[in-house]
Amino acid sequence: TGGRRCRRLEGETARAVLANADTLLFDCDGVLWRGEAALSGAPAALGRLAAAGKRLCYVTNNSSRTRVAYTEKLRRLGFPPAEPRHVFGSAFCAARYLRQTLPPGAAAYVLGGPALAAELEAAGIPHLGPGPAALPGPAPADWAQAPLEPAVRAVLVGFDEHFSYAKLCQALRYLLRGPDCLLVGTNRDHRLPLEGGSAIPGTGCLVKAVETAAEREAFIVGKPSRYIFDCVASEFDIDPARTIMVGDRLDTDILMGNTCGLTTLLTLTGVSTLEEVRGHQESDCPARQSLVPDYYVDSIADLLPALED
Ligand code: PLP
Ligand code: CA
């Protein structure tokens, strides 16, 4: 099929590819920073891109921060100033989806943290978590007697470090009321890597638990779903042919970029490796070809030489 080649982005090609782009979409963790530390050279590279007049947007599957919190983190780590409207986190985008989809006054039952609650409030979606609500009896079977809120028309699953069997029960009970109770997940990342090869379970594990109980598939807001790109395209005048998606994960960032017709750039500072790319390239499977980026760099700091005048 010809296919994407995953060439190193350097020299004249780098200048030409960047000159052709007016917008760059950045994944955050693994591309701009790891945890609380900016990746070396990343703030300088984004500073140059902003000075060159590029539009910079931030597209992250992490539902545990609000748009505003991301602008503060970017500033704290020395990145060029960003406004909340440039940040597309899966918490904000999930709230937007529910605002578009739910009838007026309908509420969401939420498995998630304070950032998800804050974005729902900003979008005007009534929401409830399990709260400390007294469970009516000691045994799980008694919990099926707990009161249900009649206004709930969606179950939303995001990153929830206090996920529990009791919450899973309540989510199932709302979903059993019928197909007009939506099931929405912020993202399917199943593992969040930590320094030193260790990892913690990601939101995908929680979404899977609810899907398994409810015997239905969630609508996913975050990458690789094109919904998160549609959010960007609805707020800015985006030409996919002049937009670069920069990410560290093949199955989220690169797949979304390829699906949406963007130029895709993999950075090797995060989850995915060049060996994985080569494996996909060698396979005949079309689904695996969609995981191959157009270009790669070791780090986005490698873009600096192409941005000098
Ligand atoms: N979800 C959670 C809860 C996270 O903490 C992270 C990364 O820190 C992610 C998802 C992945 O985020 P991103 O799409 O920015 O790589
Ligand atoms: Ca990432």
Side-chain angles (χ1 to χ4, degrees):
T1 55
R4 292 182 189 82
R5 305 224 352 243
C6 192
R7 285 184 297 155
R8 184 188 283 275
L9 190 60
E10 60 187 351
E12 279 314 303
T13 311
R15 282 181 183 273
V17 167
L18 291 172
N20 178 58
D22 59 21
T23 303
L24 290 95
L25 309 183
F26 286 96
D27 167 52
C28 296
D29 201 67
V31 172
L32 305 179
W33 56 67
R34 282 205 212 105
E36 277 304 310
L39 285 160
S40 163
L46 268 70
R48 293 269 180 83
L49 288 163
K54 308 297 184 191
R55 180 195 287 130
L56 309 181
C57 293
Y58 305 89
V59 179
T60 171
N61 275 358
N62 189 345
S63 63
S64 68
R65 276 179 204 267
T66 59
R67 282 187 134 177
V68 170
Y70 275 105
T71 63
E72 285 159 5
K73 180 164 185 177
L74 286 160
R75 171 153 25 105
R76 194 163 70 238
L77 297 187
F79 288 93
E83 294 165 43
R85 67 193 186 95
H86 293 116
V87 179
F88 296 85
S90 63
F92 166 77
C93 294
R96 183 178 182 277
Y97 178 76
L98 293 179
R99 181 163 45 75
Q100 289 175 324
T101 313
L102 287 180
Y109 179 74
V110 183
L111 304 188
L116 199 50
E119 294 291 18
L120 289 165
E121 260 143 53
I125 308 289
H127 59 92
L128 55 146
L135 293 165
D142 302 328
W143 302 349
Q145 309 305 316
L148 293 179
E149 165 56 50
V152 167
R153 296 283 294 276
V155 170
L156 172 59
V157 187
F159 188 67
D160 185 354
E161 58 194 62
H162 303 292
F163 183 81
S164 68
Y165 186 78
K167 293 183 185 183
L168 184 57
C169 287
Q170 203 72 345
L172 173 60
R173 293 178 63 223
Y174 282 115
L175 292 164
L176 283 175
R177 294 204 299 193
D180 54 82
C181 183
L182 306 174
L183 174 54
V184 179
T186 55
N187 62 299
R188 286 197 190 278
D189 301 44
H190 64 287
R191 251 186 222 174
L192 304 174
L194 304 177
E195 296 300 314
S198 145
I200 53 172
T203 305
C205 304
L206 313 184
V207 174
K208 266 284 196 321
V210 179
E211 286 179 316
T212 304
E215 299 179 355
R216 55 165 134 146
E217 204 175 310
F219 174 84
I220 300 295
V221 165
K223 303 166 288 187
S225 165
R226 60 176 310 140
Y227 183 77
I228 198 163
F229 173 72
D230 292 342
C231 292
V232 184
S234 77
E235 290 194 31
F236 297 99
D237 183 18
I238 300 285
D239 176 359
R242 303 203 62 198
T243 302
I244 304 176
M245 174 69 211
V246 189
D248 70 310
R249 265 185 93 125
L250 301 177
D251 62 350
T252 55
D253 309 316
I254 301 305
L255 179 57
M256 184 208 76
N258 288 342
T259 307
C260 298
L262 317 180
T263 299
T264 47
L265 174 60
L266 174 71
T267 145
L268 300 176
T269 43
V271 170
S272 297
T273 64
L274 219 43
E275 291 67 51
E276 288 170 59
V277 177
R278 300 305 175 211
H280 296 315
Q281 279 179 307
E282 281 157 25
S283 112
D284 297 329
C285 168
R288 290 184 68 182
Q289 293 295 330
S290 330
L291 299 169
V292 177
D294 295 303
Y295 301 101
Y296 79 94
V297 284
D298 291 330
S299 147
I300 59 170
D302 295 358
L303 299 177
L304 278 166
L307 291 164
E308 275 153 18
D309 344 272

